[in-house]
Amino acid sequence: MALSLLAAIMLLLGSQAALPPRPQAELEKFSEIIFDGVVGECHSADHEKQPGFIDRHHVCDVELANVMKPMPWKDYVYPVEYVHWYTVVERPPGWSGPSGQTRIPQPGERYKFYTLRRRVPSFAEAVMEKHDTTRRNWLNILEPNGVQDPSADTKLSELEDAEAPEL
């Protein structure tokens, strides 16, 4: 009886289940670029993928302080990178699934980022233009917990043969 009551309440509230946090080893293995840096200017724009599915896409420039992966990184990473993540604005009642980042980077703060380099989709080019850049790549932050304190432990010796996931 109690279980039925709980299920009914969750249906009425339209609960949205998010992805569980990735274990540290998984963040490290599947990241193409792991770095820490200070967040600068941020811009956002909403995008409706289909009716009832609206995401807010955020892009911030980050001045890199330390790069942990890849090594050597000089030809692969810019001194200032653009990180991207999204947050859910709207989903249909009862929907469950990914909901973006659990920790939102704030300008002026330093974080460690676990990322994948991706091409900027056409709907988001206007967000990149606000940063006065012609770059058409950004670093997607791994969901849901690819933003951490800069002191988060990264064991690079275990990552040498890791491959990034196919998306």
Side-chain angles (χ1 to χ4, degrees):
M1 176 70 178
L3 188 56
S4 297
L5 181 60
L6 179 61
I9 291 171
M10 290 180 71
L11 274 174
L12 290 173
L13 294 175
S15 69
Q16 295 183 2
L19 293 175
R22 291 178 188 246
Q24 187 68 26
E26 189 176 308
L27 284 170
E28 294 167 359
K29 179 178 180 180
F30 293 128
S31 293
E32 289 177 38
I33 303 172
I34 301 171
F35 66 95
D36 69 40
V38 177
V39 175
E41 191 174 1
C42 298
H43 296 284
S44 302
D46 290 355
H47 174 67
E48 186 171 17
K49 296 188 278 192
Q50 62 188 45
F53 287 82
I54 301 173
D55 292 333
R56 181 159 296 135
H57 291 266
H58 309 271
V59 177
C60 295
D61 56 71
V62 178
E63 186 174 339
L64 275 65
N66 296 301
V67 178
M68 291 64 133
K69 181 183 177 182
M71 292 306 268
W73 62 270
K74 296 273 187 210
D75 295 328
Y76 194 69
V77 180
Y78 296 96
V80 174
E81 284 286 0
Y82 296 91
V83 295
H84 164 263
W85 74 96
Y86 76 94
T87 52
V88 169
V89 174
E90 181 181 321
R91 290 293 188 266
W95 177 88
S96 68
S99 58
Q101 283 302 315
T102 54
R103 184 171 189 181
I104 306 301
Q106 300 298 313
E109 297 294 320
R110 186 172 177 165
Y111 301 95
K112 182 180 277 187
F113 295 93
Y114 296 84
T115 65
L116 297 169
R117 187 173 299 284
R118 294 293 178 254
R119 183 150 180 79
V120 175
S122 59
F123 71 81
E125 288 178 358
V127 179
M128 288 296 281
E129 288 169 4
K130 291 179 183 177
H131 285 277
D132 293 326
T133 183
T134 57
R135 260 194 251 167
R136 292 297 167 239
N137 289 290
W138 60 22
L139 300 179
N140 270 350
I141 302 171
L142 290 182
E143 292 179 42
N145 58 324
V147 178
Q148 298 186 357
D149 292 326
S151 61
D153 189 27
T154 301
K155 297 174 181 64
L156 296 176
S157 60
E158 299 171 8
L159 301 175
E160 292 175 2
D161 297 323
E163 294 181 22
E166 295 289 326
L167 293 183

